[in-house]
Amino acid sequence: MESNAGNHKEGESHDDGHGGIFGPNTELYFAILSGALLGAGYGLTFVGGLNTWISMGLYFGAYFFGGFFTTKEAVENVRKGTFEIDSLMLVAAIGAGILGEWAEGALLLFLFSLGHALEHYALARARKSIEALANLAPPVALVKRDGKEQEIPVEQLELGDVIIVKPNSKVPADGVLVKGEGSVNQAPITGESVPVDKKAVSDPDRDYAAEKNIPAEHRVFAGTINGYAALEIKVIRKAEDSTIARLIKLVNEAEQQKSPTQLFTDRFEKIFVPSVLILVGLLCLAFLVVDEPFSKSFYRAMSVLVAASPCALAISTPSAVLSGVARAARGGVLVKGGKPLEDLGSLEAVAFDKTGTLTEGKPKLTNILPFEGTDEKQFLQVAMAVEKQSDHPLAKAIVNGIKEKYPDLTAIDASKVKGIVGKGVSAEYDGKTVLIGNKALFEDKGGLDKSLEDQVAKLEAEGNTTILVHFDGKFIGILSLMDVAREEAKGVLAELQALGIKQMIMLTGDNQQVGEAVANEIGITKVMGNLMPEDKVAAVEKLDSQHGKVAMVGDGVNDAPAMAKSTVGIAMGAAGSDVALETADIALMGDKLEGLPFAIGLSRRARSIIKQNLWISLGVVAVLVPLTILGVASIGPAVIAHEGSTLLVVFNALRLLIYKK
């Protein structure tokens, strides 16, 4: 027995079916008219000397306006070959009229139509949170074509078009910055609270449309808000393929996926509805065994029918899922339906990929250790002179790290630079030989003495990659690099622990020592190192068997198999990533871990509200049915409790829309 709100497919607007002479709120106005006519008709019964047909006429008017949309939907359902128990509310009202209880029947239809109008209004509020996403991107764009600037609809933008975005205006398309620099507020897409600095690419003529890993500092998304500077952006996605368009599509699809609780209520209703119909049929025949007229038996049966209709049960979970998905989307988290929304809140274990998820994903200079008798700046000049001529990631990290510490440091160019695969590099600086590399580079040159060996071993035990610098026949110092933990990682893991996550496990392809060094710094409870992608899948399966449910947090690309095996797959930095959006159950649109505690906290609240709604809806039915069978409650109180409980669960679910991070 579903309420009219439940008769629509989730994701469709209820207003569409209830438009009319007063627009989308016609059902509400009809309900108010029904109530006004009912009140007037009932009031006139106390005026002496008036013809009773005047009150009857007003009751007929109340029937018309109160039953208009219920009748319309009943006819539509019959045409489609479906049967909705709410249609029997109409039968109950007609039955009350046949028995001469016109005021009671009019009251039933008035309260029923008013309740449904308010349900539709309340649910529309949740849907507007999702529909608002569609309004984030502006409808037109200022584009440069043939040397001229012209304003065109965003649907007409082509890949490679260069658009101009003025200060404090919305970005109309996904693209890369080709001219200008400034900050962009990405909160509408990624949920990031602080604007992100952007700068132009070095090669504006290049085709970036097919590139998968465009640095965040160059990339912008439709629907984000430009800051203080005018920007020129090259379009890399058409309007229908933009991140915001995909997000809207996936959120709408998510609404249609049923949660475990919804599946339970569906199964429950399949048993409950026929049982109620059999009970109502038997109660209609009660006059055969009880000394009472048929009219009384029929009236009691209609009262039970109203009381037993579990409209609140039907709408309790969908309304909570809708509100939860909408609130998550506003916070930069894409939740693909009711199942991951509920599952996320029941987790006790979360597995994390290390590189790029818990760490920055790139090496960073962590230690500068000149040996005794060597000036630090001279040591760094030698290292920078050689490494700046290499395009190796470690070399770039060394140069960037030195520049961060000494922005004005300069060095003459090294000469005869030669890479030694897997070991390091040799060169000449200031006429003297330089060797920079790992331990293996020096093995055939006598190796390292014990004290230097111990120093290197200590650094590597802490998770560092060590680089030795040998200049003019002697070691002058050590540089160490490490993929450092994200700034926010420690705080986020502490929040997760406070939320009741008992196990936080790191799954990494790096060696165990490196993993444990990062884990000790940020508070990971367990490290599993030296894992190949297939090993991560096996690890997730094992964790799942130990903890019942486990989430896998990764980048959605290398970790896709492990994410697919987990109860809930969570992708980091999904904005602009097709793979992450497709593979994950939940996608954190921004490349920040802070979205994870928010998502889990929201899921916990959603689960709590769903449970409350189930108790309310089933509790009202459990109390009302016996009372109506015993004749203690009639149609009037039954419909008040029925509609009241339905509204209560809807408005309870809407509390998720104001959930705070």
Side-chain angles (χ1 to χ4, degrees):
M1 297 184 188
E2 297 183 15
S3 72
N4 292 343
N7 297 344
H8 298 265
K9 285 182 182 178
E10 292 171 45
E12 291 178 359
S13 170
H14 300 308
D15 291 340
D16 294 344
H18 299 143
I21 57 172
F22 298 121
N25 292 321
T26 298
E27 186 181 24
L28 180 60
Y29 294 134
F30 271 32
I32 292 168
L33 272 170
S34 174
L37 292 168
L38 169 63
Y42 185 68
L44 289 176
T45 59
F46 294 98
V47 178
L50 279 179
N51 192 313
T52 56
W53 281 103
I54 296 175
S55 288
M56 289 292 291
L58 292 169
Y59 289 150
F60 289 152
Y63 261 67
F64 173 80
F65 288 109
F68 181 84
F69 283 103
T70 305
T71 306
K72 184 182 172 187
E73 288 192 5
V75 171
E76 286 173 359
N77 287 332
V78 169
R79 280 179 183 163
K80 292 175 188 173
T82 59
F83 178 71
E84 299 295 344
I85 300 301
D86 273 357
S87 302
L88 290 187
M89 293 290 181
L90 196 59
V91 176
I94 293 168
I98 292 169
L99 296 173
E101 300 288 346
W102 292 103
E104 195 118 11
L107 176 66
L108 187 157
L109 290 175
F110 159 59
L111 291 173
F112 194 67
S113 61
L114 179 64
H116 284 184
L118 291 173
E119 281 174 44
H120 299 152
Y121 173 77
L123 286 171
R125 281 194 58 194
R127 283 192 170 82
K128 277 175 185 171
S129 293
I130 292 170
E131 288 163 5
L133 293 171
N135 299 322
L136 286 174
V140 295
L142 186 61
V143 65
K144 291 172 79 172
R145 283 183 181 170
D146 304 321
K148 295 178 183 176
E149 294 179 8
Q150 52 182 298
E151 203 170 73
I152 64 169
V154 291
E155 293 81 13
Q156 294 177 17
L157 286 172
E158 298 291 337
L159 299 182
D161 274 342
V162 174
I163 54 177
I164 299 167
V165 183
K166 294 179 179 177
N168 303 311
S169 60
K170 291 179 180 177
V171 176
D174 282 16
V176 293
L177 191 58
V178 292
K179 188 175 180 182
E181 62 177 52
S183 60
V184 173
N185 179 359
Q186 297 190 157
I189 305 296
T190 65
E192 292 168 281
S193 56
V194 178
V196 180
D197 291 335
K198 304 288 180 181
K199 64 181 182 180
V201 293
S202 55
D203 183 6
D205 297 322
R206 192 157 127 203
D207 180 12
Y208 291 92
E211 293 198 16
K212 297 292 183 187
N213 297 309
I214 300 169
E217 62 191 8
H218 303 313
R219 183 161 193 170
V220 292
F221 303 107
T224 55
I225 303 160
N226 185 21
Y228 55 84
L231 306 176
E232 290 188 15
I233 295 161
K234 179 181 272 193
V235 176
I236 61 170
R237 289 266 182 90
K238 289 190 175 182
E240 65 268 22
D241 300 323
S242 70
T243 299
I244 188 69
R246 291 173 60 79
L247 178 59
I248 294 162
K249 178 175 176 283
L250 288 167
V251 167
N252 282 324
E253 286 175 358
E255 285 186 67
Q256 297 172 34
Q257 295 180 20
K258 294 192 174 184
S259 72
T261 308
Q262 267 180 280
L263 294 172
F264 161 75
T265 55
D266 286 350
R267 289 194 299 271
F268 177 80
E269 284 181 46
K270 282 179 182 175
I271 299 167
F272 185 71
V273 168
S275 303
V276 169
L277 289 175
I278 292 168
L279 175 62
V280 168
L282 292 172
L283 288 172
C284 284
L285 302 174
F287 72 97
L288 297 173
V289 292
V290 179
D291 185 18
E292 64 182 18
F294 169 74
S295 60
K296 189 171 182 182
S297 295
F298 182 74
Y299 183 81
R300 184 192 298 113
M302 293 301 101
S303 299
V304 171
L305 179 64
V306 173
S309 180
C311 301
L313 180 65
I315 200 67
S316 61
T317 307
S319 58
V321 169
L322 174 66
S323 299
V325 168
R327 176 65 188 97
R330 282 210 331 264
V333 178
L334 172 62
V335 180
K336 292 188 183 176
K339 186 176 188 305
L341 183 68
E342 285 195 38
D343 285 343
L344 190 64
S346 62
L347 296 172
E348 291 187 357
V350 179
F352 295 87
D353 170 50
K354 179 181 86 72
T355 306
T357 301
L358 292 172
T359 65
E360 297 283 354
K362 53 190 176 184
K364 194 171 182 180
L365 188 61
T366 49
N367 286 294
I368 298 168
L369 303 170
F371 292 160
E372 195 175 340
T374 303
D375 176 69
E376 182 173 278
K377 283 193 176 181
Q378 183 193 4
F379 164 53
L380 293 177
Q381 279 177 322
V382 172
M384 188 166 77
V386 176
E387 298 289 21
K388 73 179 181 180
Q389 297 191 48
S390 169
D391 59 0
H392 192 282
L394 292 181
K396 286 183 177 179
I398 288 169
V399 173
N400 290 337
I402 293 170
K403 283 181 178 176
E404 273 181 32
K405 185 163 187 182
Y406 296 109
D408 301 323
L409 189 70
T410 56
I412 60 173
D413 288 340
S415 59
K416 298 181 182 178
V417 178
K418 183 184 175 186
I420 303 165
V421 179
K423 296 181 180 181
V425 66
S426 68
E428 281 192 9
Y429 177 77
D430 198 18
K432 294 162 188 166
T433 302
V434 184
L435 291 170
I436 301 179
N438 56 26
K439 287 189 296 182
L441 180 62
F442 302 99
E443 281 174 359
D444 56 357
K445 293 179 173 56
L448 312 181
D449 62 38
K450 180 149 190 335
S451 126
L452 188 51
E453 182 84 54
D454 289 346
Q455 198 170 356
V456 168
K458 183 174 181 295
L459 286 167
E460 290 182 349
E462 293 169 357
N464 291 281
T465 298
T466 55
I467 303 293
L468 296 149
V469 182
H470 190 274
F471 176 59
D472 193 21
K474 63 177 181 178
F475 288 104
I476 61 169
I478 300 175
L479 299 170
S480 75
L481 300 104
M482 189 177 178
D483 180 11
V484 296
R486 285 174 176 266
E487 240 177 78
E488 72 273 20
K490 188 172 184 177
V492 166
L493 294 177
E495 283 185 64
L496 293 180
Q497 197 170 29
L499 281 168
I501 303 298
K502 294 174 182 174
Q503 286 287 322
M504 292 172 284
I505 306 102
M506 178 194 290
L507 306 180
T508 178
D510 282 341
N511 67 59
Q512 190 76 13
Q513 272 189 329
V514 171
E516 284 180 356
V518 176
N520 292 336
E521 184 187 341
I522 60 176
I524 281 283
T525 52
K526 185 178 180 183
V527 178
M528 300 173 76
N530 301 303
L531 301 180
M532 298 294 286
E534 59 269 25
D535 298 327
K536 288 187 180 182
V537 173
V540 167
E541 287 178 329
K542 185 179 177 183
L543 290 168
D544 188 55
S545 65
Q546 289 173 346
H547 298 282
K549 289 181 180 179
V550 63
M552 174 68 195
V553 187
D555 60 13
V557 183
N558 302 327
D559 304 306
M563 287 165 62
K565 275 291 177 188
S566 64
T567 313
V568 184
I570 303 170
M572 289 276 298
S577 167
D578 292 345
V579 178
L581 285 172
E582 294 299 337
T583 58
D585 300 305
I586 291 174
L588 308 180
M589 300 304 288
D591 193 26
K592 294 282 185 185
L593 275 170
E594 285 102 324
L596 190 54
F598 162 67
I600 291 176
L602 176 65
S603 173
R604 295 266 168 95
R605 179 66 60 83
R607 280 171 57 84
S608 171
I609 282 176
I610 287 169
K611 283 180 184 174
Q612 290 167 15
N613 283 353
L614 289 178
W615 279 109
I616 291 167
S617 54
L618 291 173
V620 167
V621 170
V623 170
L624 271 184
V625 169
L627 290 179
T628 49
I629 289 174
L630 295 171
V632 176
S634 61
I635 285 179
V639 78
I640 289 170
H642 172 274
E643 289 306 310
S645 65
T646 305
L647 287 175
L648 185 58
V649 298
V650 170
F651 284 105
N652 191 37
L654 289 181
R655 290 193 298 131
L656 286 169
L657 291 176
I658 56 171
Y659 175 79
K660 299 292 183 187
K661 289 190 183 185

